[in-house]
């Protein structure tokens, strides 16, 4: 499984960005795709995850109502639409994939076996 993330950049507070993660190397019908982020000097944290079927979505409390995760099966791509960005959203964002996760484990990075490279998101105040 290969994951290629893109879409990061520099944006002012209150602005928006959309991250993309293109997946290849497998059929992903029973996979969960997740986004995690790591800010300088901080632990990696869960952002959002979606089952490839689209039936289940989970968000971190810190991004609920501002971020939206979605997927396009035809393009094998998962998106993270980030609105109302705050300086505290500044981090390296990475996408990850894992087969057959249940809801309670979707937010735990240790359950994800495949990772893409990160993309930097910087939000200026």
């Amino acid at each position: 499984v290969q994951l290629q993330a893109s879409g990061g950049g520099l944006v002012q507070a209150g602005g928006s960005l959309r991250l993309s993660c293109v997946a290849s190397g497998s059929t992903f019908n029973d996979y969960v795709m997740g986004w995690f982020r790591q800010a300088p000097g901080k632990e990696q944290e869960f952002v959002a995850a979606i089952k490839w079927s689209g039936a289940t979505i989970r968000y971190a409390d810190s991004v609920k109502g501002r971020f939206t995760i979605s997927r396009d099966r035809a393009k094998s791509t998962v998106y993270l639409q980030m609105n109302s960005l705050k300086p505290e959203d500044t981090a390296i964002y990475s996408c990850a994939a894992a087969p057959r996760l249940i809801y309670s484990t979707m937010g735990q990075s240790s359950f994800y076996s495949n990772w893409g490279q990160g993309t930097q998101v910087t939000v200026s105040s």
Side-chain angles (χ1 to χ4, degrees):
V1 173
Q2 291 81 46
L3 304 172
Q4 181 73 37
S6 63
L10 172 64
V11 64
Q12 288 189 329
S16 299
L17 281 174
R18 188 177 78 159
L19 305 183
S20 301
C21 177
V22 179
S24 62
S26 179
T27 56
F28 296 97
N29 294 333
D30 61 348
Y31 270 68
V32 171
M33 311 297 290
W35 285 98
F36 292 80
R37 67 186 182 185
Q38 187 165 20
K42 294 188 177 181
E43 302 253 332
Q44 185 181 59
E45 65 172 345
F46 168 72
V47 178
I50 184 170
K51 288 195 174 181
W52 198 250
S53 65
T56 305
I57 291 175
R58 181 170 179 170
Y59 293 101
D61 288 343
S62 59
V63 306
K64 278 181 182 176
R66 300 188 299 123
F67 292 10
T68 302
I69 190 170
S70 62
R71 76 350 181 190
D72 184 327
R73 284 181 163 178
K75 296 182 178 179
S76 294
T77 301
V78 176
Y79 302 100
L80 185 69
Q81 177 67 43
M82 305 185 296
N83 298 329
S84 302
L85 282 161
K86 306 175 181 179
E88 51 263 44
D89 294 318
T90 295
I92 296 174
Y93 285 69
S94 300
C95 59
R100 298 180 295 278
L101 294 187
I102 58 176
Y103 185 84
S104 61
T105 59
M106 287 172 69
Q108 299 179 44
S109 60
S110 59
F111 283 88
Y112 288 80
S113 49
N114 303 282
W115 291 83
Q117 92 294 352
T119 184
Q120 176 72 47
V121 171
T122 303
V123 184
S124 63
S125 57

